[in-house]
Amino acid sequence: MILPKSSRLTSEQLAEVSAIVQEFGCRVQPIVGEVRTIYAIVGDERNELMINRLEGLDYVERIDRIQSPFKLMDRRSELANGHLRIGGVTLGEELFVIAGQCTIDPKHPELFFETAEGVKAAGATALRGGVWKPRTNPYSFQGDTRSLDILVEAGRMTGLPIVTEVMEPEHIELALNAGVDILQIGARNALNYSLLRQVGRAIAGRPTAVLLKRSLHMGTIAEFISAAEYIVNFGNPNVMLCPRGTAPALDGYRNHPDESITPLLKERTWAPVVVDPSHSVGKAAYVPGCALAAVAYGADGLCIETHAQPTQGIGDDPKQSLTPAALADVIRQARIIYELRRREPVDARS
Ligand code: PEP
Ligand code: MN
Protein backbone atom coordinates (compact mmCIF):
# COMPACT_ATOMS: atom_id res chain seq x y z
CA MET A 1 0.00 0.00 0.00
CA ILE A 2 1.44 3.34 -1.05
CA LEU A 3 0.62 6.30 1.19
CA PRO A 4 1.44 9.60 -0.53
CA LYS A 5 2.51 12.73 1.36
CA SER A 6 -0.32 14.75 -0.16
CA SER A 7 -3.99 13.79 -0.25
CA ARG A 8 -3.48 12.16 -3.66
CA LEU A 9 -0.83 11.58 -6.32
CA THR A 10 -0.73 13.77 -9.41
CA SER A 11 -1.25 11.94 -12.70
CA GLU A 12 2.52 12.17 -13.43
CA GLN A 13 3.33 10.68 -10.03
CA LEU A 14 0.77 7.92 -10.53
CA ALA A 15 2.26 7.13 -13.93
CA GLU A 16 5.73 6.91 -12.41
CA VAL A 17 4.56 4.63 -9.59
CA SER A 18 2.62 2.46 -12.04
CA ALA A 19 5.68 2.08 -14.25
CA ILE A 20 7.78 0.91 -11.29
CA VAL A 21 5.30 -1.67 -10.01
CA GLN A 22 4.66 -2.97 -13.54
CA GLU A 23 8.33 -3.85 -13.82
CA PHE A 24 7.68 -6.27 -10.97
CA GLY A 25 4.49 -7.71 -12.43
CA CYS A 26 2.13 -5.68 -10.22
CA ARG A 27 -0.36 -2.89 -10.83
CA VAL A 28 -1.60 0.06 -8.80
CA GLN A 29 -5.21 0.47 -7.74
CA PRO A 30 -6.16 3.89 -6.29
CA ILE A 31 -8.65 3.63 -3.42
CA VAL A 32 -10.46 6.92 -2.94
CA GLY A 33 -11.05 7.46 0.77
CA GLU A 34 -12.80 10.35 2.47
CA VAL A 35 -9.57 11.88 3.74
CA ARG A 36 -7.04 10.85 1.16
CA THR A 37 -6.45 8.47 -1.70
CA ILE A 38 -4.21 5.50 -1.06
CA TYR A 39 -2.73 3.18 -3.64
CA ALA A 40 -2.93 -0.57 -3.33
CA ILE A 41 -0.24 -2.59 -5.03
CA VAL A 42 -2.07 -5.49 -6.61
CA GLY A 43 0.07 -8.58 -7.14
CA ASP A 44 2.97 -10.00 -5.18
CA GLU A 45 4.14 -6.83 -3.49
CA ARG A 46 6.84 -8.39 -1.33
CA ASN A 47 9.72 -7.63 -3.70
CA GLU A 48 12.25 -5.62 -1.66
CA LEU A 49 13.74 -3.90 -4.69
CA MET A 50 10.34 -2.60 -5.74
CA ILE A 51 9.58 -1.41 -2.19
CA ASN A 52 12.95 0.36 -1.98
CA ARG A 53 12.36 2.20 -5.22
CA LEU A 54 8.89 3.30 -4.16
CA GLU A 55 10.13 4.39 -0.73
CA GLY A 56 12.78 6.47 -2.48
CA LEU A 57 10.19 8.68 -4.24
CA ASP A 58 10.05 12.07 -2.53
CA TYR A 59 6.26 12.30 -2.72
CA VAL A 60 5.73 8.94 -0.99
CA GLU A 61 5.23 9.13 2.77
CA ARG A 62 5.56 5.42 3.38
CA ILE A 63 4.76 1.99 2.10
CA ASP A 64 2.43 0.09 4.37
CA ARG A 65 3.08 -3.61 4.49
CA ILE A 66 0.04 -4.91 6.30
CA GLN A 67 0.37 -8.69 6.28
CA SER A 68 -3.28 -9.50 6.32
CA PRO A 69 -5.50 -11.39 3.90
CA PHE A 70 -7.58 -8.22 3.83
CA LYS A 71 -5.12 -5.38 3.55
CA LEU A 72 -7.62 -2.69 2.66
CA MET A 73 -10.33 -3.79 5.07
CA ASP A 74 -7.82 -4.19 7.90
CA ARG A 75 -8.36 -1.85 10.83
CA ARG A 76 -4.73 -0.69 10.44
CA SER A 77 -5.32 0.36 6.84
CA GLU A 78 -5.31 4.05 6.07
CA LEU A 79 -8.92 3.64 4.93
CA ALA A 80 -9.86 3.41 8.61
CA ASN A 81 -9.86 7.23 8.63
CA GLY A 82 -12.75 7.49 6.22
CA HIS A 83 -16.38 7.83 7.17
CA LEU A 84 -19.28 6.52 5.21
CA ARG A 85 -22.03 9.09 4.78
CA ILE A 86 -25.36 8.06 3.31
CA GLY A 87 -28.41 10.27 2.99
CA GLY A 88 -27.11 12.80 5.49
CA VAL A 89 -26.19 10.17 8.12
CA THR A 90 -22.56 9.51 9.01
CA LEU A 91 -22.15 5.92 10.09
CA GLY A 92 -20.39 5.72 13.42
CA GLU A 93 -21.91 8.98 14.57
CA GLU A 94 -25.60 8.22 14.35
CA LEU A 95 -27.54 4.94 14.23
CA PHE A 96 -28.21 3.99 10.61
CA VAL A 97 -31.47 2.09 10.11
CA ILE A 98 -32.44 0.41 6.86
CA ALA A 99 -36.07 -0.69 6.87
CA GLY A 100 -38.69 -1.81 4.40
CA GLN A 101 -40.20 -4.78 2.67
CA CYS A 102 -38.48 -8.03 1.86
CA THR A 103 -40.16 -8.03 -1.53
CA ILE A 104 -41.99 -5.34 -3.48
CA ASP A 105 -45.23 -6.64 -4.95
CA PRO A 106 -45.34 -5.12 -8.46
CA LYS A 107 -49.14 -5.46 -8.41
CA HIS A 108 -49.41 -3.40 -5.23
CA PRO A 109 -47.25 -0.31 -5.39
CA GLU A 110 -49.60 1.40 -2.93
CA LEU A 111 -48.60 -1.12 -0.24
CA PHE A 112 -44.94 -0.31 -0.72
CA PHE A 113 -45.63 3.42 -0.63
CA GLU A 114 -47.50 2.93 2.63
CA THR A 115 -44.54 0.98 4.03
CA ALA A 116 -42.11 3.63 2.81
CA GLU A 117 -44.02 6.45 4.52
CA GLY A 118 -44.33 4.28 7.64
CA VAL A 119 -40.61 3.53 7.93
CA LYS A 120 -39.76 7.16 7.30
CA ALA A 121 -42.15 8.26 10.09
CA ALA A 122 -40.65 5.57 12.35
CA GLY A 123 -37.23 7.21 12.01
CA ALA A 124 -35.52 4.88 9.53
CA THR A 125 -32.63 6.41 7.59
CA ALA A 126 -32.79 4.24 4.45
CA LEU A 127 -35.53 2.37 2.60
CA ARG A 128 -35.19 -1.21 1.45
CA GLY A 129 -37.33 -3.07 -1.02
CA GLY A 130 -36.56 -6.36 -2.76
CA VAL A 131 -36.89 -6.06 -6.54
CA TRP A 132 -35.15 -9.34 -7.45
CA LYS A 133 -35.29 -12.15 -4.90
CA PRO A 134 -33.04 -15.17 -4.35
CA ARG A 135 -35.65 -17.82 -3.64
CA THR A 136 -34.98 -21.36 -2.42
CA ASN A 137 -37.91 -22.66 -4.44
CA PRO A 138 -37.61 -21.95 -8.20
CA TYR A 139 -41.40 -21.78 -8.46
CA SER A 140 -41.74 -19.05 -5.82
CA PHE A 141 -42.06 -15.41 -6.87
CA GLN A 142 -38.61 -14.35 -8.09
CA GLY A 143 -39.20 -10.60 -8.10
CA ASP A 144 -39.92 -8.33 -11.00
CA THR A 145 -37.85 -5.61 -12.66
CA ARG A 146 -40.95 -3.39 -12.76
CA SER A 147 -40.65 -3.07 -8.96
CA LEU A 148 -37.50 -1.00 -9.45
CA ASP A 149 -39.62 1.98 -10.54
CA ILE A 150 -41.77 1.56 -7.43
CA LEU A 151 -38.67 1.59 -5.21
CA VAL A 152 -37.29 4.68 -6.94
CA GLU A 153 -40.62 6.47 -6.61
CA ALA A 154 -40.86 5.60 -2.90
CA GLY A 155 -37.32 6.90 -2.41
CA ARG A 156 -38.27 10.13 -4.10
CA MET A 157 -41.45 10.47 -2.01
CA THR A 158 -39.67 9.93 1.31
CA GLY A 159 -36.28 11.42 0.48
CA LEU A 160 -34.65 8.25 1.88
CA PRO A 161 -31.69 6.53 0.21
CA ILE A 162 -32.80 3.24 -1.36
CA VAL A 163 -31.46 -0.29 -1.00
CA THR A 164 -32.05 -3.38 -3.11
CA GLU A 165 -30.37 -6.74 -3.68
CA VAL A 166 -28.57 -7.50 -6.93
CA MET A 167 -27.80 -11.01 -8.10
CA GLU A 168 -26.72 -10.63 -11.71
CA PRO A 169 -24.70 -8.17 -13.80
CA GLU A 170 -27.93 -6.99 -15.42
CA HIS A 171 -29.39 -6.12 -12.00
CA ILE A 172 -26.28 -4.12 -11.11
CA GLU A 173 -26.58 -2.04 -14.23
CA LEU A 174 -30.33 -1.48 -13.87
CA ALA A 175 -30.00 -0.58 -10.18
CA LEU A 176 -27.15 1.86 -10.76
CA ASN A 177 -28.90 3.51 -13.68
CA ALA A 178 -32.02 3.89 -11.54
CA GLY A 179 -29.98 5.64 -8.84
CA VAL A 180 -30.09 2.93 -6.15
CA ASP A 181 -27.88 4.19 -3.31
CA ILE A 182 -26.99 0.88 -1.66
CA LEU A 183 -26.60 -2.42 -3.51
CA GLN A 184 -27.25 -5.41 -1.28
CA ILE A 185 -25.29 -8.59 -1.81
CA GLY A 186 -27.41 -11.26 -0.21
CA ALA A 187 -26.32 -14.12 2.01
CA ARG A 188 -26.54 -16.60 -0.86
CA ASN A 189 -24.16 -14.57 -3.00
CA ALA A 190 -21.69 -13.42 -0.36
CA LEU A 191 -19.36 -16.23 -1.48
CA ASN A 192 -19.91 -15.53 -5.17
CA TYR A 193 -16.52 -13.94 -5.86
CA SER A 194 -17.40 -13.20 -9.44
CA LEU A 195 -20.43 -11.13 -8.38
CA LEU A 196 -18.39 -9.41 -5.66
CA ARG A 197 -15.86 -8.36 -8.31
CA GLN A 198 -18.57 -7.21 -10.69
CA VAL A 199 -20.18 -5.06 -8.00
CA GLY A 200 -16.79 -3.64 -6.95
CA ARG A 201 -15.95 -2.75 -10.55
CA ALA A 202 -19.40 -1.25 -11.21
CA ILE A 203 -19.42 1.07 -8.18
CA ALA A 204 -15.85 2.33 -8.61
CA GLY A 205 -15.91 6.11 -8.97
CA ARG A 206 -19.53 6.35 -7.79
CA PRO A 207 -20.92 7.31 -4.37
CA THR A 208 -22.87 4.01 -4.25
CA ALA A 209 -22.47 1.83 -1.16
CA VAL A 210 -22.78 -1.94 -0.68
CA LEU A 211 -24.52 -3.86 2.08
CA LEU A 212 -22.69 -7.18 2.18
CA LYS A 213 -24.63 -9.86 4.04
CA ARG A 214 -22.77 -12.63 5.79
CA SER A 215 -23.16 -15.96 4.03
CA LEU A 216 -24.98 -18.67 5.94
CA HIS A 217 -21.81 -20.70 5.47
CA MET A 218 -19.10 -18.25 6.40
CA GLY A 219 -17.59 -19.96 9.40
CA THR A 220 -14.77 -17.53 10.02
CA ILE A 221 -14.71 -13.78 10.48
CA ALA A 222 -11.76 -13.57 8.05
CA GLU A 223 -13.84 -15.11 5.26
CA PHE A 224 -16.49 -12.44 5.73
CA ILE A 225 -14.02 -9.55 5.71
CA SER A 226 -12.14 -11.02 2.73
CA ALA A 227 -15.38 -11.04 0.73
CA ALA A 228 -15.61 -7.27 1.32
CA GLU A 229 -11.98 -6.91 0.22
CA TYR A 230 -13.01 -8.18 -3.24
CA ILE A 231 -15.35 -5.20 -3.58
CA VAL A 232 -13.16 -2.52 -2.04
CA ASN A 233 -10.09 -3.25 -4.10
CA PHE A 234 -11.72 -1.82 -7.19
CA GLY A 235 -11.55 1.59 -5.55
CA ASN A 236 -14.80 2.32 -3.75
CA PRO A 237 -14.54 1.71 0.02
CA ASN A 238 -18.25 2.19 0.85
CA VAL A 239 -18.93 -1.29 2.20
CA MET A 240 -21.05 -2.22 5.22
CA LEU A 241 -20.84 -5.68 6.79
CA CYS A 242 -24.17 -7.26 7.63
CA PRO A 243 -24.38 -10.26 9.98
CA ARG A 244 -27.76 -11.92 9.36
CA GLY A 245 -27.51 -15.31 11.04
CA THR A 246 -25.78 -18.48 9.89
CA ALA A 247 -26.60 -22.17 9.35
CA PRO A 248 -27.41 -24.46 11.02
CA ALA A 249 -30.20 -22.65 12.78
CA LEU A 250 -30.33 -22.34 16.53
CA ASP A 251 -33.36 -24.45 17.39
CA GLY A 252 -36.40 -22.19 17.28
CA TYR A 253 -34.79 -19.43 15.23
CA ARG A 254 -34.59 -19.15 11.44
CA ASN A 255 -30.78 -19.07 11.53
CA HIS A 256 -28.11 -18.99 14.18
CA PRO A 257 -28.20 -15.36 15.36
CA ASP A 258 -24.75 -13.79 15.04
CA GLU A 259 -25.07 -10.18 16.17
CA SER A 260 -22.41 -11.12 18.72
CA ILE A 261 -19.71 -11.10 16.01
CA THR A 262 -20.02 -7.29 15.86
CA PRO A 263 -17.13 -6.55 18.27
CA LEU A 264 -14.95 -9.13 16.48
CA LEU A 265 -15.56 -7.42 13.15
CA LYS A 266 -14.90 -4.02 14.69
CA GLU A 267 -11.63 -5.20 16.16
CA ARG A 268 -10.33 -6.35 12.78
CA THR A 269 -11.81 -3.96 10.28
CA TRP A 270 -12.86 -0.32 10.02
CA ALA A 271 -16.04 -1.20 8.09
CA PRO A 272 -19.39 -0.19 9.56
CA VAL A 273 -21.44 -3.12 10.87
CA VAL A 274 -25.16 -3.11 10.06
CA VAL A 275 -26.92 -6.09 11.65
CA ASP A 276 -30.01 -7.73 10.15
CA PRO A 277 -31.98 -9.21 13.06
CA SER A 278 -34.95 -10.16 10.84
CA HIS A 279 -33.38 -13.01 8.86
CA SER A 280 -31.37 -13.99 11.90
CA VAL A 281 -34.30 -14.86 14.17
CA GLY A 282 -37.04 -15.12 11.53
CA LYS A 283 -40.03 -14.12 13.65
CA ALA A 284 -41.29 -10.60 14.39
CA ALA A 285 -41.60 -11.25 18.14
CA TYR A 286 -37.88 -12.00 18.43
CA VAL A 287 -36.65 -9.14 16.22
CA PRO A 288 -36.67 -6.27 18.79
CA GLY A 289 -34.46 -8.15 21.27
CA CYS A 290 -31.97 -9.16 18.59
CA ALA A 291 -31.89 -5.61 17.20
CA LEU A 292 -31.20 -4.08 20.62
CA ALA A 293 -28.57 -6.71 21.38
CA ALA A 294 -26.82 -5.81 18.11
CA VAL A 295 -26.64 -2.16 19.12
CA ALA A 296 -25.44 -3.14 22.58
CA TYR A 297 -22.67 -5.12 20.87
CA GLY A 298 -21.61 -1.98 19.03
CA ALA A 299 -23.41 -2.17 15.67
CA ASP A 300 -23.47 1.03 13.60
CA GLY A 301 -26.79 0.18 12.07
CA LEU A 302 -29.69 -2.21 11.64
CA CYS A 303 -31.50 -3.65 8.65
CA ILE A 304 -35.06 -4.54 9.64
CA GLU A 305 -37.80 -6.01 7.48
CA THR A 306 -40.88 -3.87 7.89
CA HIS A 307 -44.24 -4.02 6.17
CA ALA A 308 -47.22 -1.70 6.57
CA GLN A 309 -49.46 -4.77 6.40
CA PRO A 310 -47.28 -7.78 7.18
CA THR A 311 -49.95 -10.36 6.35
CA GLN A 312 -50.21 -8.90 2.82
CA GLY A 313 -46.50 -9.39 2.18
CA ILE A 314 -45.33 -11.69 -0.58
CA GLY A 315 -42.15 -13.72 -0.47
CA ASP A 316 -40.85 -15.78 2.40
CA ASP A 317 -40.79 -13.23 5.09
CA PRO A 318 -44.18 -11.83 6.22
CA LYS A 319 -43.87 -13.50 9.60
CA GLN A 320 -40.63 -11.77 10.42
CA SER A 321 -41.71 -8.29 9.31
CA LEU A 322 -42.36 -5.60 11.89
CA THR A 323 -45.11 -3.04 11.46
CA PRO A 324 -43.93 0.58 11.18
CA ALA A 325 -45.29 1.20 14.70
CA ALA A 326 -43.18 -1.62 16.13
CA LEU A 327 -40.20 -0.38 14.11
CA ALA A 328 -40.61 3.07 15.68
CA ASP A 329 -40.39 1.51 19.17
CA VAL A 330 -37.30 -0.49 18.26
CA ILE A 331 -35.58 2.54 16.74
CA ARG A 332 -36.36 4.69 19.77
CA GLN A 333 -34.95 2.09 22.17
CA ALA A 334 -31.98 1.29 19.93
CA ARG A 335 -31.03 4.98 19.79
CA ILE A 336 -31.00 5.14 23.60
CA ILE A 337 -28.56 2.20 23.75
CA TYR A 338 -26.51 3.64 20.91
CA GLU A 339 -26.15 7.01 22.64
CA LEU A 340 -25.40 5.40 25.98
CA ARG A 341 -22.55 3.43 24.46
CA ARG A 342 -21.16 6.53 22.80
CA ARG A 343 -21.42 8.73 25.87
CA GLU A 344 -20.32 6.21 28.46
CA PRO A 345 -18.14 3.54 26.87
CA VAL A 346 -17.24 0.93 29.47
CA ASP A 347 -13.57 0.18 29.90
CA ALA A 348 -13.65 -3.57 30.54
CA ARG A 349 -10.41 -3.42 32.53
CA SER A 350 -11.18 -0.38 34.67
C1 PEP B 1 -33.37 -10.15 2.24
O1 PEP B 1 -32.69 -9.21 2.70
O2 PEP B 1 -34.57 -10.10 2.02
C2 PEP B 1 -32.65 -11.43 2.03
C3 PEP B 1 -33.07 -12.32 1.15
O3 PEP B 1 -31.60 -11.52 2.83
P1 PEP B 1 -30.50 -12.68 2.98
O4 PEP B 1 -29.68 -12.64 1.74
O5 PEP B 1 -29.75 -12.26 4.21
O6 PEP B 1 -31.22 -13.98 3.15
MN1 MN C 1 -36.15 -11.08 3.32
Side-chain angles (χ1 to χ4, degrees):
M1 190 87 59
I2 304 166
L3 307 176
K5 283 188 179 146
S6 54
S7 61
R8 71 157 77 100
L9 296 176
T10 63
S11 50
E12 293 77 30
Q13 291 166 343
L14 180 57
E16 185 176 24
V17 161
S18 298
I20 294 173
V21 304
Q22 268 166 25
E23 279 181 43
F24 298 91
C26 297
R27 70 178 175 85
V28 176
Q29 172 64 56
I31 314 284
V32 185
E34 175 102 336
V35 180
R36 62 151 106 163
T37 299
I38 60 174
Y39 298 83
I41 304 170
V42 183
D44 185 357
E45 88 283 43
R46 286 166 305 182
N47 192 301
E48 286 301 326
L49 188 56
M50 176 176 78
I51 302 287
N52 288 345
R53 284 192 35 205
L54 292 169
E55 279 176 339
L57 300 170
D58 59 2
Y59 49 82
V60 167
E61 185 180 302
R62 67 191 155 88
I63 306 294
D64 220 336
R65 291 188 240 186
I66 296 173
Q67 292 304 318
S68 160
F70 36 88
K71 291 192 251 285
L72 295 167
M73 296 297 297
D74 193 287
R75 188 139 204 99
R76 292 163 296 174
S77 150
E78 199 69 8
L79 283 174
N81 295 335
H83 280 292
L84 179 52
R85 233 181 117 68
I86 306 173
V89 175
T90 302
L91 280 90
E93 289 179 7
E94 204 183 312
L95 186 69
F96 186 66
V97 182
I98 303 171
Q101 289 177 197
C102 179
T103 308
I104 299 173
D105 183 345
K107 295 201 189 76
H108 291 285
E110 75 289 351
L111 267 182
F112 190 69
F113 297 148
E114 190 185 346
T115 297
E117 297 290 3
V119 307
K120 163 94 175 177
T125 44
L127 173 66
R128 59 160 287 152
V131 173
W132 305 285
K133 296 306 296 181
R135 303 301 302 280
T136 309
N137 184 335
Y139 307 113
S140 303
F141 178 62
Q142 305 284 313
D144 188 322
T145 296
R146 283 174 298 172
S147 297
L148 188 56
D149 293 338
I150 302 173
L151 176 63
V152 169
E153 176 60 13
R156 200 195 50 74
M157 276 164 47
T158 56
L160 294 174
I162 50 177
V163 187
T164 204
E165 175 168 354
V166 291
M167 296 182 292
E168 295 171 21
E170 189 199 352
H171 301 163
I172 302 172
E173 201 184 317
L174 287 166
L176 290 178
N177 288 342
V180 170
D181 301 281
I182 305 174
L183 303 182
Q184 175 174 313
I185 296 181
R188 286 154 196 81
N189 273 313
L191 288 166
N192 178 346
Y193 298 120
S194 161
L195 184 73
L196 296 175
R197 275 198 211 94
Q198 285 159 7
V199 167
R201 202 175 285 124
I203 63 167
R206 293 176 181 259
T208 318
V210 173
L211 181 73
L212 175 65
K213 298 269 194 121
R214 183 183 185 192
S215 157
L216 285 80
H217 308 291
M218 272 174 182
T220 67
I221 302 294
E223 248 181 310
F224 189 13
I225 302 175
S226 295
E229 184 87 9
Y230 270 93
I231 302 168
V232 166
N233 76 41
F234 285 95
N236 178 334
N238 300 341
V239 176
M240 294 168 268
L241 299 174
C242 181
R244 45 78 74 210
T246 52
L250 188 62
D251 189 20
Y253 287 136
R254 178 170 175 176
N255 284 292
H256 194 116
D258 60 349
E259 70 283 356
S260 60
I261 69 165
T262 302
L264 306 180
L265 292 170
K266 298 212 138 271
E267 201 168 66
R268 295 179 209 187
T269 174
W270 46 263
V273 177
V274 174
V275 171
D276 170 352
S278 309
H279 293 84
S280 209
V281 297
K283 188 170 156 186
Y286 310 141
V287 169
C290 184
L292 298 182
V295 179
Y297 270 119
D300 302 284
L302 297 166
C303 175
I304 301 181
E305 285 195 344
T306 307
H307 200 296
Q309 299 181 38
T311 53
Q312 305 296 307
I314 52 170
D316 277 340
D317 301 338
K319 65 181 183 304
Q320 72 193 25
S321 290
L322 297 188
T323 58
L327 177 72
D329 284 342
V330 173
I331 293 178
R332 188 175 45 76
Q333 295 180 5
R335 289 212 164 110
I336 293 170
I337 298 174
Y338 186 84
E339 283 311 315
L340 198 60
R341 274 191 60 107
R342 265 169 71 84
R343 271 204 319 273
E344 301 172 29
V346 176
D347 176 354
R349 293 300 187 98
S350 64

PDB file of all heavy atoms in Angstrom, residues 62 138 256 270 286:
ATOM      1  N   ARG A  62       5.049   6.726   2.976  1.00  0.00           N
ATOM      2  CA  ARG A  62       5.562   5.416   3.376  1.00  0.00           C
ATOM      3  C   ARG A  62       4.833   4.329   2.605  1.00  0.00           C
ATOM      4  O   ARG A  62       3.796   4.564   1.981  1.00  0.00           O
ATOM      5  CB  ARG A  62       5.424   5.196   4.879  1.00  0.00           C
ATOM      6  CG  ARG A  62       4.025   5.097   5.386  1.00  0.00           C
ATOM      7  CD  ARG A  62       4.003   5.160   6.925  1.00  0.00           C
ATOM      8  NE  ARG A  62       2.719   5.655   7.369  1.00  0.00           N
ATOM      9  CZ  ARG A  62       1.656   4.876   7.601  1.00  0.00           C
ATOM     10  NH1 ARG A  62       1.743   3.575   7.483  1.00  0.00           N
ATOM     11  NH2 ARG A  62       0.514   5.408   7.956  1.00  0.00           N
ATOM     12  N   PRO A 138     -37.596 -22.625  -6.888  1.00  0.00           N
ATOM     13  CA  PRO A 138     -37.607 -21.953  -8.198  1.00  0.00           C
ATOM     14  C   PRO A 138     -39.001 -21.552  -8.665  1.00  0.00           C
ATOM     15  O   PRO A 138     -39.145 -20.749  -9.582  1.00  0.00           O
ATOM     16  CB  PRO A 138     -36.995 -22.990  -9.146  1.00  0.00           C
ATOM     17  CG  PRO A 138     -37.130 -24.299  -8.455  1.00  0.00           C
ATOM     18  CD  PRO A 138     -37.121 -24.015  -6.973  1.00  0.00           C
ATOM     19  N   HIS A 256     -28.796 -19.114  12.894  1.00  0.00           N
ATOM     20  CA  HIS A 256     -28.106 -18.988  14.179  1.00  0.00           C
ATOM     21  C   HIS A 256     -27.750 -17.516  14.348  1.00  0.00           C
ATOM     22  O   HIS A 256     -26.872 -17.010  13.650  1.00  0.00           O
ATOM     23  CB  HIS A 256     -26.842 -19.853  14.221  1.00  0.00           C
ATOM     24  CG  HIS A 256     -26.319 -20.014  15.606  1.00  0.00           C
ATOM     25  ND1 HIS A 256     -26.269 -21.219  16.253  1.00  0.00           N
ATOM     26  CD2 HIS A 256     -25.877 -19.091  16.484  1.00  0.00           C
ATOM     27  CE1 HIS A 256     -25.804 -21.024  17.478  1.00  0.00           C
ATOM     28  NE2 HIS A 256     -25.549 -19.753  17.633  1.00  0.00           N
ATOM     29  N   TRP A 270     -12.282  -1.649   9.790  1.00  0.00           N
ATOM     30  CA  TRP A 270     -12.859  -0.320  10.020  1.00  0.00           C
ATOM     31  C   TRP A 270     -14.290  -0.249   9.497  1.00  0.00           C
ATOM     32  O   TRP A 270     -14.970   0.766   9.667  1.00  0.00           O
ATOM     33  CB  TRP A 270     -12.025   0.741   9.283  1.00  0.00           C
ATOM     34  CG  TRP A 270     -11.708   0.331   7.878  1.00  0.00           C
ATOM     35  CD1 TRP A 270     -10.551  -0.254   7.446  1.00  0.00           C
ATOM     36  CD2 TRP A 270     -12.573   0.392   6.738  1.00  0.00           C
ATOM     37  NE1 TRP A 270     -10.648  -0.551   6.105  1.00  0.00           N
ATOM     38  CE2 TRP A 270     -11.884  -0.165   5.646  1.00  0.00           C
ATOM     39  CE3 TRP A 270     -13.874   0.864   6.537  1.00  0.00           C
ATOM     40  CZ2 TRP A 270     -12.433  -0.278   4.376  1.00  0.00           C
ATOM     41  CZ3 TRP A 270     -14.430   0.744   5.262  1.00  0.00           C
ATOM     42  CH2 TRP A 270     -13.703   0.189   4.211  1.00  0.00           C
ATOM     43  N   TYR A 286     -39.262 -11.909  17.943  1.00  0.00           N
ATOM     44  CA  TYR A 286     -37.876 -12.003  18.429  1.00  0.00           C
ATOM     45  C   TYR A 286     -36.986 -10.885  17.881  1.00  0.00           C
ATOM     46  O   TYR A 286     -35.842 -10.748  18.285  1.00  0.00           O
ATOM     47  CB  TYR A 286     -37.237 -13.337  18.025  1.00  0.00           C
ATOM     48  CG  TYR A 286     -38.048 -14.568  18.335  1.00  0.00           C
ATOM     49  CD1 TYR A 286     -38.083 -15.635  17.437  1.00  0.00           C
ATOM     50  CD2 TYR A 286     -38.752 -14.677  19.529  1.00  0.00           C
ATOM     51  CE1 TYR A 286     -38.813 -16.781  17.714  1.00  0.00           C
ATOM     52  CE2 TYR A 286     -39.494 -15.822  19.803  1.00  0.00           C
ATOM     53  CZ  TYR A 286     -39.517 -16.864  18.895  1.00  0.00           C
ATOM     54  OH  TYR A 286     -40.240 -17.979  19.162  1.00  0.00           O
TER      55      TYR A 286
END
